[in-house]
Amino acid sequence: DIQMTQSPSSLSASVGDRITITCRASQYISNYLNWYQQQPGKAPQVLIYGASTLHSGVPSRFSGSGSGTDFTLTISGLQPEDFATYYCQQTYINVKTFGQGTKVEVK
Amino acid sequence: QVTLKESGPVLVKPTETLTLTCTVSGFSLSDARMGVSWIRQPPGKALEWLAHIYSNDGKAYSTSLKSRLSISKDTSKSQVVLTLTNMDPVDTATYYCARVGLARDAFDVWGQGTMVTVSS
């Protein structure tokens, strides 16, 4: 299986901050990398797919980059509704694994 | 409007088999490039992908749970069924189904999830 490692596991930030979450794959996955946001008690929602394509309706302060094994999710200008847990997921192979998540908390 | 809804038991006993149903609407399970996955999340823990079924009935399973999992679909009923045998308390989790509807097999629509507790 392809292992997905996110860092950090958690971070504290303030409204307006720019934050970056990284995701590393244990082997090459091209751009088969998706990012999800999960609010407490809710199902996850896709933010970015194909490493850098913003899903319809997702604010432009979210951006993704990377290819191969190293990827980043950036939020430029953190908003109150962005405090949540973020997961990366690889879909390069049929076994579609998630990262362990990054919790973004209020500083 | 595309929706997915999970249903199944709230409580199962250890060693029992869990059967969950995902009922979809707004699309057909036979539509090309459409597929449905099951994902679970133990309380306070990360998402864990379990299984996927493709429009052509191809299937994929989590390597660690493959021996206990089975996924199937009934296109006429718009349902995807997941079974997990030999349930254990560590299988206590919220179970989600989600549709692949975007490029790179991203999940664009998720069900609300159903909480399953394993306890005697």
Side-chain angles (χ1 to χ4, degrees):
Chain A
D1 290 1
I2 298 176
Q3 309 303 319
M4 305 302 293
T5 303
Q6 289 182 233
S7 61
S9 296
S10 65
L11 66 89
S12 298
S14 301
V15 171
D17 284 353
R18 180 176 186 269
I19 66 166
T20 297
I21 298 168
T22 65
C23 179
R24 174 165 289 177
S26 61
Q27 65 186 71
Y28 175 83
I29 61 170
S30 183
N31 67 342
Y32 284 74
L33 190 284
N34 309 310
W35 289 99
Y36 299 86
Q37 177 194 66
Q38 186 178 32
Q39 300 286 359
K42 298 287 184 66
Q45 294 183 300
V46 66
L47 296 172
I48 288 169
Y49 60 94
S52 60
T53 302
L54 207 62
H55 183 47
S56 176
V58 174
S60 59
R61 62 181 180 271
F62 292 92
S63 63
S65 65
S67 184
T69 60
D70 294 318
F71 302 87
T72 60
L73 171 70
T74 299
I75 309 175
S76 300
L78 203 62
Q79 296 299 301
E81 59 269 29
D82 301 336
F83 293 98
T85 301
Y86 294 85
Y87 293 93
C88 63
Q89 178 208 27
Q90 68 77 24
T91 52
Y92 186 67
I93 62 173
N94 286 343
V95 179
K96 308 174 196 299
T97 44
F98 287 94
Q100 82 279 14
T102 296
K103 186 174 184 179
V104 178
E105 301 174 300
V106 178
K107 182 183 286 185
Chain B
Q1 182 188 7
V2 173
T3 64
L4 296 88
K5 187 171 184 179
E6 306 88 350
S7 59
V10 174
L11 180 67
V12 298
K13 291 181 169 54
T15 75
E16 289 186 340
T17 294
L18 172 68
T19 300
L20 294 173
T21 300
C22 175
T23 302
V24 311
S25 64
F27 71 102
S28 171
L29 293 172
S30 62
D31 287 349
R33 300 179 61 85
M34 288 295 169
V36 172
S37 270
W38 283 94
I39 303 103
R40 72 179 180 181
Q41 185 172 39
K45 295 189 177 181
L47 301 171
E48 179 183 17
W49 178 85
L50 299 176
H52 186 83
I53 191 161
Y54 294 87
S55 57
N56 64 2
D57 212 37
K59 299 162 187 176
Y61 295 100
S62 162
T63 302
S64 62
L65 293 169
K66 187 173 186 175
S67 63
R68 299 172 52 206
L69 282 169
S70 177
I71 190 170
S72 62
K73 63 175 178 169
D74 185 330
T75 301
S76 65
K77 293 184 178 178
S78 294
Q79 293 180 334
V80 176
V81 176
L82 182 80
T83 62
L84 181 60
T85 62
N86 194 24
M87 292 289 283
D88 183 271
V90 300
D91 297 311
T92 293
T94 297
Y95 287 76
Y96 296 99
C97 58
R99 181 187 83 157
V100 165
L102 298 171
R104 300 299 181 261
D105 282 2
F107 302 142
D108 64 335
V109 184
W110 293 63
Q112 63 191 18
T114 186
M115 178 65 192
V116 179
T117 300
V118 184
S119 175
S120 54

